[in-house]
Amino acid sequence: MPSLAIALEHHAPADETPVLSPAQLGGLIAVIASLHLTANYSFLLFHTLIEIFRIVVLGGIFVLAWHSRRWSANNFLLIVGISSIFVAALVVLHTLSYKGLGLFPGYDANLPTQLWIAFRYLESASFLFAALSIRRSDSAHRLVATYTLVTVTLGLAVFPGHFPDCFIEGQGLTDFKVTSEFVIIGLFALSLVALLARREHFERSVLTLIVGAILFAVLSEFAFTRYVGVFDYANEVGHYLLLVSTYLLYRAMLVTGIAAPFDLLFRNLKQNEAELEGKVVERTRALSEAQALNTAFLDNSPSVIYLIDTRCRYTLANATFERMVDRPRDQILGCTAFDLWPAEIAEELERNNHKVLNSRTPHLMTEVVGAGTGTRLFESVHFPLVDDNGTLVGAGGIATDITEHRLADERYRLMIHTSMDAFVLIDSEARILEVNDAACTLTGYSREQLLTLSVDALKAEGDIQGVRNTLARVRREGAVRFDSVWRCRNGELRDIEASIKCLKHIVDPRYFCFIRDITERKRSETHIDYLAHHDVLTGLPNKLLFQKTFEQRLGQARDAPYECALAYLDLDNFKVVNDTLGHVLGDNLLRQVAGRLQGLLGEHHALCRVSGDEFLLLCDFADEAMVRSLAEQVLAALALPMNIDGHELTGTASLGLAMYPKDGKDFDTLYKKADTAMFQAKAAGRNAFRFFDEAMHAEALERLGLLAELRLALERDELRLHYQPQVDLSTGALIGAEALLRWQRADGQMIAPDRFIPLAEDSGLIVPIGAWVLREACRQAADWQRQGLPPMVMAVNMSAVQFRRPDLLATVADALARSGLPASCLELELTESLLIDDSELALETARQLHALGLHLSIDDFGTGYSSLSYLKRFAVDKLKIDQSFVREMDRDADNATLVHTIVQMAHNLGLKTIAEGVEDANVAAHLHRLECDEAQGYHFARPMPADAFEAWVSAHAAGHPRPAR
């Protein structure tokens, strides 16, 4: 490629040399000086010489561009070069028409000036077009055609007089001519900007010359706007600048494109000679490497490679051959098979070699070499050897040891055919190519029948497109595993797990399919899933499935208004049924309740069993009145008698209702609020329903806050014991005190016992609190004994939760041991319901407590399930008559009769009685007349702290009891 192409296309850096050497600059100045003398002598000659120089340079640029167009991809050179010949043509006409030559009669100085403007327009526009089209690739012939059309058009415009006047004798340049010069200056300036923006496509020196040529062309245009006569000084200066511009263009293109390649050619001769010598050395080394490569290939090939002559003597053997016969190469070459192997093996090998020599065609065969455990199986190709004349000169062979491959293949076949999983080999069209016995067992088809089918015939859906999609996925991913369903020959559907791997075959891919029958596993999974989402006892959905159903209904109704109610149902007193009649009967009761609810709700509403005796109902009603009606129907249905294993039972329930979306927009929120409403229904007397309102929520929050503070009350020492005296009604003497729990918060506020004690029982905090009460009461009683206060019994209320604790005996014994209080000075007050709920366990616990020596009493007697049987069985010492009977007994004869009956019954059973809630002397006197043994109440003293109790005891002992406060 000539240097101009290199320079313009910027393929490699050039040496940094000056744009013009001092000699070249001096020569240019000398030429200009000579031309100046010529101009003084003859301006016409001066003008003609400069224009001829320009014509020669432009023609040379065209020749260079035209002949380099096939191998030069530089579009700038192509456009400038082709445009140069057409510019040169117009320059020739301009020169020949110049004033003074007289070659165009009838034309004045206006004609050459018009031609000047025409070719300068063409030249400046071409430079701009070339600069903007550097990155394009234009057709040379199309450019020639275009420039021909433009040049002819300009000529036809100038000579007939259609082109605007540019010069008028006696007046000078026209406005059109001056304006055109400035337009041409603008075009040159734009081309200069475009070239600099694309300077990475040019060598620095070439770009500098082109930029210089354009700048001098611009300067010449400025000069040509100033002259008045064609021979004046401004015109002369303009031609000097035009000369310099042409010279720089000559240096940029012709010198770089013509002279430089010859210099490059001669400078590279020596280099080419050295390169040829290097290539000879390189080729020699390559031949040696190729020979070494062939030797390495032969010696490192795992296959046995050998050549023999026509007499079956070995002429070549590789290293693998040497290892096979256990001989070095020099002991192999020249030998026959009979010299290396036993006769039987040698005869087989010779027979195979002669078969190739006689037929002159290659043969592929399997050969056995060796004996016993050393026998190896080879897959061999035998081929004839002929010279360039077609004469047979011997034969060769390449033998690959396939012993391990065959063993692996046999092991694989054994594994496939003895596999418990079905195996199916199929092609890309899903046609079955091979199966094992397990596949026949699974499908019920024989092997022959399966080989006539495709896999889609076995699929339950029979979907051939689905099979093809699966095979396409296997081809992409290599292997896949999925579950499907196959239809057996007898029509039975079997769940299967398919594992498919694609093996690329020479012609067509093959698919190895291992099929496992997972029908039983699927059934187990279905059963497990059922158990995970249903209640085993009732068959109802469990809370998890119920929540999913709820959320699905919300999702389905997301685009439309939807309202419903969540009902939390809890059976009342179900534990009593369980404890008295047994868990089996309780389970049957739950089943009947579930059946009644299902029958009532139908399929439109949803139902689940949460746990124990708790159910959730999803009432799909938007109207609160309809929800209320349904709740009433539920309570009424459950209140109807139920025959359970010969027992006729009636049940009641408490319902809490939360409305969606009013009370909450998610399941958890509605669940909590329905639960809160259910507890309110229970608190209202059970067998009722309540809708949730924010007051319930506030109360629940208050309970939570109170519970959180109660958890810390023990640690903060906020719990207190107050003591209420118990007196003998016959003597008025102090015989005991009841320890009553009080809670005084750090801010001094007293929390009523009926607010925090139920909380403690529900949360289980009653256990540590009850243990503290027991220890503190025993400590205080023992301390009073040591102070010398009258002997008395300390009565402590025992929670049902605490009574059922297995460590109760240890807790009581520890309190007595720590305090030193005699067990006979401690009385535990129990509720009637506690003794009934777990009779056997309660009986044993009561016996063990009696064994410690302490007393037991029944608290609030008459308000629960009063029964003579448990009074007879349990060794209680005292009955405490509930204050609800005592307070009104002097005004209510029925209450008085009831109290008298309890007193008489207790005495008949050998038990003492104590009345609580005695608030005036009349009641106390009445109790005394009824022979009640003991009493306590505001008439004697309110519950008081320990120090106040001590003062009261002192005053009472002196016969001056303190008045009630």
Side-chain angles (χ1 to χ4, degrees):
M1 179 181 290
S3 294
L4 180 61
I6 296 174
L8 290 179
E9 294 168 13
H10 204 203
H11 287 174
D15 295 336
E16 290 294 333
T17 58
V19 176
L20 291 178
S21 66
Q24 293 167 348
L25 187 58
L28 182 60
I29 294 172
V31 169
I32 292 174
S34 301
L35 287 172
H36 178 62
L37 295 174
T38 305
N40 290 334
Y41 171 73
S42 172
F43 193 87
L44 184 60
L45 178 59
F46 161 79
H47 177 266
T48 303
L49 290 174
I50 289 178
E51 296 299 347
I52 289 173
F53 174 67
R54 291 198 68 228
I55 292 167
V56 171
V57 171
L58 291 172
I61 293 173
F62 168 74
V63 171
L64 175 63
W66 184 260
H67 289 289
S68 64
R69 73 185 188 281
R70 301 186 187 279
W71 43 260
S72 174
N74 191 282
N75 211 42
F76 180 83
L77 173 62
L78 182 65
I79 294 172
V80 172
I82 290 177
S83 68
S84 295
I85 192 65
F86 293 96
V87 172
L90 292 175
V91 173
V92 169
L93 293 175
H94 164 73
T95 304
L96 295 178
S97 64
Y98 206 75
K99 182 179 181 181
L101 286 179
L103 296 179
F104 291 91
Y107 289 97
D108 56 10
N110 184 41
L111 176 61
T113 309
Q114 288 176 316
L115 291 169
W116 163 266
I117 291 299
F119 75 71
R120 291 300 274 178
Y121 265 125
L122 182 61
E123 187 175 12
S124 59
S126 297
F127 265 96
L128 179 58
F129 176 50
L132 295 175
S133 305
I134 288 176
R135 299 186 183 93
R136 290 175 47 187
S137 178
D138 291 305
S139 166
H141 293 89
R142 188 178 293 112
L143 288 171
V144 169
T146 302
Y147 276 106
T148 299
L149 179 62
V150 172
T151 304
V152 171
T153 301
L154 289 172
L156 292 177
V158 171
F159 283 99
H162 302 305
F163 199 84
D165 290 334
C166 294
F167 185 85
I168 300 175
E169 289 288 348
Q171 296 181 13
L173 301 177
T174 66
D175 291 340
F176 170 75
K177 199 271 187 184
V178 174
T179 302
S180 295
E181 294 287 5
F182 282 109
V183 172
I184 292 168
I185 289 170
L187 292 173
F188 275 126
L190 290 175
S191 64
L192 184 61
V193 172
L195 282 172
L196 291 175
R198 295 161 177 77
R199 57 183 174 274
E200 70 274 7
H201 295 278
F202 299 88
E203 279 297 332
R204 182 176 179 182
S205 59
V206 174
L207 179 64
T208 303
L209 289 167
I210 295 174
V211 169
I214 294 174
L215 288 175
F216 275 96
V218 169
L219 292 174
S220 70
E221 294 300 323
F222 276 114
F224 290 134
T225 63
R226 309 305 301 170
Y227 69 88
V228 177
V230 295
F231 302 122
D232 66 8
Y233 186 70
N235 197 6
E236 181 181 349
V237 171
H239 280 85
Y240 291 145
L241 295 172
L242 188 62
L243 174 68
V244 175
S245 173
T246 305
Y247 177 72
L248 293 178
L249 197 60
Y250 156 77
R251 293 288 305 171
M253 294 192 173
L254 287 181
V255 174
T256 304
I258 297 175
F262 287 100
D263 180 61
L264 179 65
L265 176 64
F266 290 115
R267 282 192 289 111
N268 288 341
L269 284 177
K270 287 284 186 180
Q271 181 180 348
N272 292 340
E273 184 179 349
E275 288 179 357
L276 287 174
E277 292 177 356
K279 287 182 179 180
V280 171
V281 173
E282 185 180 350
R283 293 289 176 86
T284 304
R285 184 172 64 253
L287 289 173
S288 300
E289 290 176 354
Q291 185 175 0
L293 181 63
N294 290 335
T295 302
F297 170 75
L298 290 173
D299 289 342
N300 292 287
S301 173
S303 299
V304 174
I305 302 175
Y306 65 88
L307 297 177
I308 59 173
D309 59 17
T310 53
R311 297 171 62 184
C312 294
R313 293 176 301 190
Y314 290 101
T315 58
L316 182 143
N318 69 345
T320 307
F321 194 105
E322 294 180 54
R323 289 192 295 272
M324 183 178 67
V325 300
D326 196 21
R327 292 189 185 188
R329 192 167 302 177
D330 58 0
Q331 295 182 20
I332 297 174
L333 301 182
C335 297
T336 66
F338 290 96
D339 299 324
L340 304 177
W341 283 285
E344 183 179 352
I345 295 175
E347 286 177 0
E348 179 65 21
L349 295 176
E350 285 284 285
R351 185 163 46 251
N352 293 336
N353 286 331
H354 280 294
K355 185 184 298 184
V356 174
L357 292 172
N358 295 333
S359 65
R360 291 195 174 194
T361 58
H363 287 271
L364 182 66
M365 57 193 70
T366 301
E367 297 174 306
V368 178
V369 179
T373 57
T375 300
R376 310 297 295 177
L377 191 64
F378 288 86
E379 190 173 75
S380 306
V381 56
H382 295 263
F383 52 87
L385 293 176
V386 295
D387 59 16
D388 294 340
N389 298 320
T391 304
L392 182 68
V393 296
I398 301 175
T400 302
D401 189 342
I402 60 170
T403 308
E404 297 302 327
H405 176 74
R406 282 292 178 89
L407 290 174
D409 188 56
E410 289 301 322
R411 285 194 294 269
Y412 179 73
R413 288 180 178 277
L414 180 64
M415 178 184 69
I416 291 297
H417 285 284
T418 58
S419 172
M420 299 293 291
D421 292 332
F423 170 77
V424 180
L425 177 66
I426 61 176
D427 62 14
S428 58
E429 295 298 322
R431 293 187 292 262
I432 299 176
L433 306 177
E434 186 57 78
V435 297
N436 65 353
D437 294 340
C440 300
T441 303
L442 172 63
T443 62
Y445 291 98
S446 66
R447 180 176 181 276
E448 291 72 20
Q449 290 171 326
L450 285 174
L451 294 183
T452 64
L453 302 176
S454 59
V455 171
D456 62 284
L458 298 176
K459 287 194 64 175
E461 304 88 350
D463 180 16
I464 183 61
Q465 187 57 46
V467 174
R468 289 172 179 168
N469 293 339
T470 301
L471 296 184
R473 179 185 164 199
V474 176
R475 283 196 297 274
R476 289 193 308 270
E477 301 178 12
V480 297
R481 177 176 293 179
F482 59 90
D483 292 350
S484 185
V485 180
W486 274 12
R487 187 183 302 278
C488 300
R489 185 183 180 188
N490 61 4
E492 180 185 7
L493 298 180
R494 307 294 292 180
D495 290 299
I496 61 143
E497 179 185 71
S499 178
I500 306 179
K501 183 175 180 61
C502 177
L503 296 181
K504 301 298 183 181
H505 193 264
I506 296 175
V507 178
D508 196 27
R510 294 290 184 263
Y511 300 88
F512 281 55
C513 311
F514 289 91
I515 311 299
R516 177 168 297 177
D517 188 348
I518 58 171
T519 305
E520 294 305 320
R521 190 182 80 187
K522 284 284 188 179
R523 288 173 183 166
S524 298
E525 290 174 354
T526 302
H527 182 62
I528 292 171
D529 182 71
Y530 177 84
L531 295 178
H533 293 90
H534 290 80
D535 173 50
V536 177
L537 178 64
T538 63
L540 294 176
N542 60 11
K543 182 183 174 185
L544 178 62
L545 182 56
F546 182 86
Q547 182 174 354
K548 288 182 179 179
T549 302
F550 175 81
E551 291 170 350
Q552 286 173 357
R553 292 194 181 184
L554 291 191
Q556 293 168 358
R558 195 167 301 279
D559 298 330
Y562 177 70
E563 295 182 37
C564 65
L566 183 67
Y568 196 120
L569 183 149
D570 184 89
L571 297 180
D572 297 330
N573 301 316
F574 177 72
K575 189 175 186 304
V576 175
V577 175
N578 251 354
D579 295 340
T580 56
L581 300 178
H583 289 278
V584 174
L585 190 143
D587 289 346
N588 290 336
L589 174 61
L590 288 174
R591 291 190 188 97
Q592 283 213 23
V593 168
R596 285 195 179 183
L597 291 175
Q598 279 183 304
L600 179 64
L601 297 176
E603 296 182 356
H604 185 61
H605 307 288
L607 172 68
C608 85
R609 181 187 176 212
V610 180
S611 63
D613 58 347
E614 298 172 342
F615 297 83
L616 284 177
L617 292 72
L618 179 59
C619 308
D620 222 347
F621 290 142
D623 183 32
E624 190 172 307
M626 298 177 69
V627 175
R628 184 184 300 275
S629 174
L630 181 62
E632 292 171 348
Q633 293 176 48
V634 168
L635 295 181
L638 295 180
L640 295 174
M642 288 178 275
N643 191 293
I644 310 294
D645 299 338
H647 298 269
E648 186 169 296
L649 302 177
T650 57
T652 61
S654 300
L655 269 82
L657 298 159
M659 299 296 295
Y660 171 88
K662 182 183 73 172
D663 296 327
K665 296 184 178 181
D666 61 83
F667 178 80
D668 290 337
T669 302
L670 291 173
Y671 178 79
K672 292 175 184 176
K673 293 185 176 181
D675 183 43
T676 300
M678 183 272 293
F679 276 106
Q680 291 294 322
K682 282 195 177 294
R686 307 176 189 245
N687 193 26
F689 63 87
R690 290 290 183 271
F691 284 92
F692 175 82
D693 60 43
E694 288 303 324
M696 295 181 186
H697 184 57
E699 183 178 341
L701 289 177
E702 182 186 4
R703 285 169 57 88
L704 286 175
L706 198 63
L707 180 59
E709 291 189 50
L710 183 59
R711 292 185 188 278
L712 300 173
L714 268 177
E715 299 177 12
R716 296 172 176 171
D717 195 25
E718 294 178 357
L719 297 182
R720 305 281 186 271
L721 287 184
H722 285 194
Y723 304 92
Q724 187 172 36
Q726 297 176 333
V727 298
D728 188 315
L729 285 174
S730 298
T731 65
L734 175 69
I735 51 92
E738 181 179 6
L740 298 169
L741 182 62
R742 297 291 185 265
W743 178 14
Q744 184 175 13
R745 294 199 300 202
D747 58 4
Q749 180 185 3
M750 294 292 293
I751 307 299
D754 59 356
R755 288 184 62 196
F756 73 86
I757 289 179
L759 274 180
E761 290 181 337
D762 291 342
S763 64
L765 286 176
I766 196 65
V767 174
I769 291 175
W772 176 83
V773 169
L774 193 60
R775 289 194 303 270
E776 179 62 18
C778 290
R779 183 199 65 76
Q780 186 63 65
D783 187 48
W784 283 337
Q785 285 187 3
R786 286 190 289 269
Q787 293 179 27
L789 266 71
M792 68 182 79
V793 174
M794 181 63 74
V796 178
N797 284 284
M798 180 62 58
S799 163
V801 176
Q802 193 177 8
F803 186 80
R804 295 189 184 100
R805 296 275 298 183
D807 59 351
L808 174 63
L809 289 174
T811 301
V812 174
D814 178 68
L816 293 172
R818 284 190 182 190
S819 64
L821 182 71
S824 59
C825 294
L826 178 64
E827 178 181 291
L828 298 181
E829 295 186 0
L830 312 176
T831 62
E832 290 178 287
S833 60
L834 186 151
L835 301 178
I836 293 176
D837 286 349
D838 292 303
S839 57
E840 293 302 325
L841 177 61
L843 178 60
E844 181 58 29
T845 302
R847 287 172 181 169
Q848 291 176 352
L849 290 173
H850 257 296
L852 291 177
L854 51 80
H855 303 283
L856 296 177
S857 65
I858 304 299
D859 193 18
D860 299 331
F861 186 79
T863 59
Y865 300 92
S866 301
S867 171
L868 294 179
S869 64
Y870 77 78
L871 291 177
K872 183 178 179 180
R873 295 177 64 196
F874 291 95
V876 295
D877 303 289
K878 187 187 297 184
L879 301 182
K880 177 177 277 191
I881 304 171
D882 187 69
Q883 59 183 338
S884 62
F885 305 132
V886 173
R887 285 176 181 167
E888 302 293 330
M889 62 177 291
D890 61 334
R891 292 186 294 273
D892 189 329
D894 290 338
N895 280 355
T897 302
L898 182 60
V899 171
H900 183 254
T901 302
I902 293 173
V903 170
Q904 292 299 318
M905 178 189 66
H907 288 169
N908 291 334
L909 293 174
L911 306 178
K912 288 187 175 184
T913 56
I914 180 171
E916 63 177 344
V918 179
E919 297 184 353
D920 56 53
N922 291 334
V923 173
H926 197 167
L927 287 169
H928 180 61
R929 289 193 300 273
L930 295 177
E931 299 181 348
C932 181
D933 300 297
E934 302 166 0
Q936 70 181 81
Y938 285 2
H939 172 63
F940 304 104
R942 291 174 179 270
M944 62 193 83
D947 54 351
F949 184 86
E950 294 169 6
W952 183 90
V953 171
S954 298
H956 183 77
H960 301 287
R962 296 178 61 168
R965 290 174 295 177

